[in-house]
Amino acid sequence: MCSNDNGWYDTKCTLFKMYTFLLTFVYRDSCQKGWRLISIMTSWFECSEKFRPYLVKYLQTIATNRDLPNNAVAKMCLLNLRKTLRFGGRTNVPSAQELLALTEGRVSKRQRVMLPGGNPVIINVKPTTITMDLIEEVCLQLGIEKQIEMEEYALFYIIERERQFCQMGSDEYIFDVTTDLQNRQESFSLLFQRLSWFFPIKFDAPESYIELMFQQTLPDYFDGFLVITDNSYLEPEHANLIGKLAALKFKSDDKVHMPTGQEIRELLPRNVLKTHELGPSQWINMVHDHLQVISRLSPTQCKIEFLEILSHWRLFGSTFFRIQQATEPSLYGQQCLLAVNKEGVYFLHHETNSPVVRYNMSDILSTRRGRSEGGKNYLEIKCGNLMMQKIVRLETDQGTEIASLIGQYIQVMNTMKGQK
């Protein structure tokens, strides 16, 4: 109806004439419905530049005068319009439930968002709420207040039938995404996660923040990505730390009994189980000794100490990608593990996780995705300086994610340099 400026203009003029007429004759119920229709219009459609100043002035006049009827809804319409002009209007037709709620004056919905570990938070979502709005709301609940730190987090929707993770764009409307999934009859959930790790962990933050950092760190730790071994050899000092981490993880679950051998196996990273320096009985004794030392710590204190230890490890804060092969000479023709963190890009040995090659973030000039003649996806990373450059090609289906993450780190680094 309103896909062009003329439609907007005619509809708006008609609505405002109706509003004036209805207010004159004190049909307040009909007047409220007219305003609700305007709120829907301002959420979905833009208007012409010619009509815009009149529309904005009209809404501002009512929104800034508390004595006028419908002051609150006019204020909401003004916010809707500004959001629409900035990000474009909503793209999907509203669902029957959303439209019914809007016409009845219910302008927000309680949206469940999952955190790593399965803990949910509830956020009030409005028709014009975009992904970045929701991320900011969750960050504030976690005690994260700086805008640049909020940009390290992302929102995903998970299609449960396919276990498919899809990152939502920062300017996507929440209801556009959820309505589309509902129309496709997909069972889904929204997941909030930390995407990059440029800024250090805040150990004095609220307990909910510590829980998020702890739960998001666990998968990479237990998968063995953070542990560097030397041909299946583990340094005694490193083994002792891993024993302490096992004790801290066990105590963080508020368990009071001494762990069994099977429980301790589940508390160790996968690649540590492949080392031969310590036998099962030695691991049991080590973990039991550490549990006696930390017996007075609360579960939250255990999580904080767990994170403090890991935060000093070289690969902590990395995002890991499996690479089929790379044109890096020392890895040519071999599989490897790629670790991307604030320090740079690491090419790791696929069995020991030991760094083979590293490129600093400051040395990365650009990235480019492509597809080979054989139909395989690749990512090219150009490194060096203006005088000497080198291109490393990676065979991977995750080129988009890798390039996006590298770009995010470089952007944060440039922003921090600019602030200095």
Side-chain angles (χ1 to χ4, degrees):
M1 177 178 71
C2 301
S3 59
N4 56 58
D5 290 341
N6 290 333
W8 233 122
Y9 182 83
D10 293 341
T11 305
K12 285 283 187 175
C13 287
T14 302
L15 285 172
F16 296 144
K17 289 175 183 177
M18 287 171 57
Y19 166 77
T20 305
F21 174 80
L22 292 170
L23 185 59
T24 303
F25 290 94
V26 206
Y27 293 149
R28 297 194 180 275
D29 182 60
S30 297
C31 181
Q32 282 185 343
K33 291 180 179 178
W35 270 108
R36 289 169 187 169
L37 181 56
I38 294 172
S39 75
I40 295 172
M41 297 284 292
T42 51
S43 299
W44 263 266
F45 307 107
E46 298 183 50
C47 63
S48 68
E49 293 184 6
K50 183 183 295 185
F51 183 47
R52 188 181 306 165
Y54 299 101
L55 175 60
V56 171
K57 184 177 180 180
Y58 180 80
L59 293 175
Q60 283 178 336
T61 300
I62 300 173
T64 55
N65 191 335
R66 295 181 180 180
D67 297 328
L68 290 176
N70 299 300
N71 162 265
V73 70
K75 190 178 296 185
M76 182 183 67
C77 290
L78 188 60
L79 292 174
N80 291 351
L81 180 63
R82 286 172 176 165
K83 185 70 73 70
T84 299
L85 292 174
R86 183 178 177 185
F87 299 106
R90 293 270 302 275
T91 55
N92 285 341
V93 175
S95 64
Q97 296 91 333
E98 183 183 358
L99 202 54
L100 178 63
L102 289 170
T103 55
E104 291 179 350
R106 291 181 279 121
V107 296
S108 65
K109 173 189 174 183
R110 290 166 61 83
Q111 179 66 54
R112 182 185 178 95
V113 180
M114 304 304 296
L115 303 181
N119 297 321
V121 292
I122 305 299
I123 303 295
N124 287 329
V125 176
K126 298 178 181 179
T128 54
T129 299
I130 61 172
T131 300
M132 197 60 217
D133 296 332
L134 191 147
I135 290 173
E136 288 180 4
E137 284 289 330
V138 179
C139 283
L140 290 173
Q141 289 191 21
L142 296 172
I144 304 165
E145 299 179 350
K146 293 183 179 179
Q147 182 67 39
I148 192 169
E149 292 186 30
M150 292 181 182
E151 293 174 5
E152 291 207 295
Y153 297 82
L155 189 67
F156 299 80
Y157 64 84
I158 306 171
I159 300 177
E160 296 175 4
R161 176 174 55 85
E162 304 172 356
R163 296 305 299 169
Q164 179 183 356
F165 284 66
C166 299
Q167 184 179 348
M168 294 172 58
S170 60
D171 58 354
E172 278 192 282
Y173 289 94
I174 301 297
F175 282 163
D176 271 349
V177 175
T178 57
T179 298
D180 178 61
L181 292 169
Q182 288 166 355
N183 289 341
R184 288 155 47 189
Q185 297 183 334
E186 296 283 5
S187 179
F188 69 94
S189 56
L190 300 184
L191 175 67
F192 175 90
Q193 265 191 319
R194 186 167 185 174
L195 200 59
S196 61
W197 297 73
F198 184 87
F199 297 97
I201 293 178
K202 303 173 183 291
F203 294 108
D204 58 347
E207 189 174 328
S208 56
Y209 171 92
I210 298 298
E211 180 68 16
L212 183 146
M213 297 296 110
F214 179 73
Q215 293 294 342
Q216 190 165 337
T217 300
L218 289 179
D220 284 344
Y221 174 70
F222 285 123
D223 284 340
F225 291 149
L226 302 181
V227 180
I228 299 174
T229 62
D230 183 10
N231 293 323
S232 298
Y233 173 74
L234 200 61
E235 293 284 348
E237 185 178 340
H238 204 176
N240 185 58
L241 271 181
I242 289 173
K244 184 176 183 178
L245 289 169
L248 289 167
K249 172 61 177 72
F250 186 80
K251 189 75 167 55
S252 73
D253 294 329
D254 210 14
K255 295 177 180 178
V256 294
H257 67 278
M258 282 296 180
T260 63
Q262 179 58 37
E263 286 176 314
I264 288 176
R265 283 182 61 86
E266 294 172 356
L267 293 168
L268 299 175
R270 289 181 185 176
N271 54 347
V272 169
L273 294 172
K274 298 177 182 179
T275 59
H276 308 294
E277 285 70 44
L278 297 176
S281 61
Q282 292 171 297
W283 281 115
I284 292 173
N285 292 334
M286 184 188 296
V287 173
H288 285 184
D289 289 344
H290 282 297
L291 280 170
Q292 291 178 355
V293 175
I294 65 171
S295 60
R296 295 183 179 275
L297 295 182
S298 69
T300 299
Q301 288 173 326
C302 288
K303 293 170 185 176
I304 290 174
E305 190 164 343
F306 186 97
L307 290 168
E308 284 180 332
I309 293 172
L310 283 187
S311 66
H312 292 96
W313 289 15
R314 183 189 299 188
L315 298 178
F316 179 78
S318 299
T319 304
F320 298 91
F321 305 90
R322 293 203 178 275
I323 305 299
Q324 295 304 312
Q325 63 176 1
T327 57
E328 178 61 44
S330 52
L331 289 166
Y332 191 77
Q334 300 180 38
Q335 292 185 355
C336 68
L337 193 64
L338 187 76
V340 181
N341 61 33
K342 65 179 182 180
E343 302 297 335
V345 175
Y346 291 81
F347 291 86
L348 311 178
H349 190 278
H350 70 285
E351 290 183 351
T352 66
N353 292 344
S354 56
V356 179
V357 183
R358 167 185 160 182
Y359 295 101
N360 295 332
M361 276 295 170
S362 57
D363 294 332
I364 297 177
L365 303 176
S366 64
T367 58
R368 186 178 74 88
R369 290 178 293 114
R371 183 186 291 268
S372 67
E373 293 181 359
K376 294 182 178 180
N377 295 318
Y378 65 82
L379 175 71
E380 289 183 343
I381 302 177
K382 182 184 288 187
C383 309
N385 50 49
L386 295 177
M387 302 297 295
M388 184 177 297
Q389 299 174 4
K390 175 181 180 179
I391 295 178
V392 180
R393 177 179 288 195
L394 319 176
E395 185 183 313
T396 176
D397 292 327
Q398 295 180 286
T400 300
E401 293 89 337
I402 298 171
S404 176
L405 187 59
I406 291 173
Q408 185 170 349
Y409 276 115
I410 292 175
Q411 182 178 349
V412 173
M413 289 171 59
N414 291 337
T415 301
M416 296 302 293
K417 286 180 182 178
Q419 290 180 357
K420 291 179 182 179

